[in-house]
Amino acid sequence: MRILMVCLGNICRSPMADGWLRHKVKQYNLSMEVDSAGTANYHVGEKPDHRMRRLSLEYGVSIDELRARQFTVADFDKYDIIFAMDKSNEKNILHLARNEQDKEKVRLFLNELYPNQDMEVPDPYYGNDLNFKEVIELLDQATNAFLKNNRLIQN
Ligand code: 4NP
């Protein structure tokens, strides 16, 4: 399975979702390809936000090696599931879809944890450390839910 995590800047939410999933793929020895991207190009080439890099280490996950890139139409061909962090990201990805097959790949990530609720991962960019930690813990839970929903880990 090939999974792409997408947010706006690809420096806060999606690199952390990417980091958690890579971490668990290693931990549980799963066969999965994982990456992340942003719908915007503001931060292309940059490392994840320094607050996310620092706080992720408190949870045992390093995202230091990731670099921001922009989502492209080619990602519809490369990935099986494209997880959007919020509805705005989802809308922007769907605008780039070429056909129904592309559209079917796009999902809101938090629907893994809270099915059919269409909840959004809050953007911590203008927030404080507590906001970043809340996002990290939410993404940890959503990643576990995704793996359980696909019967890749036990409850
Ligand atoms: P992200 O957070 O989408 O979770 O990476 C943001 C990062 C940067 C900006 C907005 C959100 N920005 O406006 O530069």
Side-chain angles (χ1 to χ4, degrees), residues 27-43:
Q27 181 181 352
Y28 299 111
N29 199 21
L30 305 174
S31 172
M32 206 180 285
E33 204 175 300
V34 186
D35 197 17
S36 59
T39 57
N41 65 1
Y42 320 135
H43 298 282

Side-chain angles (χ1 to χ4, degrees), residues 32-69:
M32 206 180 285
E33 204 175 300
V34 186
D35 197 17
S36 59
T39 57
N41 65 1
Y42 320 135
H43 298 282
V44 169
E46 294 178 20
K47 290 183 184 185
D49 185 279
H50 62 94
R51 296 161 292 180
M52 201 55 111
R53 281 189 281 123
R54 169 171 52 81
L55 293 168
S56 70
L57 291 176
E58 295 185 9
Y59 293 82
V61 179
S62 172
I63 54 172
D64 290 357
E65 305 309 313
L66 301 178
R67 295 293 180 274
R69 71 170 180 88

Side-chain angles (χ1 to χ4, degrees), residues 77-91:
D77 300 320
K78 286 187 208 150
Y79 295 94
D80 302 306
I81 305 176
I82 296 165
F83 278 126
M85 297 299 120
D86 68 31
K87 291 177 200 170
S88 166
N89 309 146
E90 182 188 38
K91 194 181 89 181

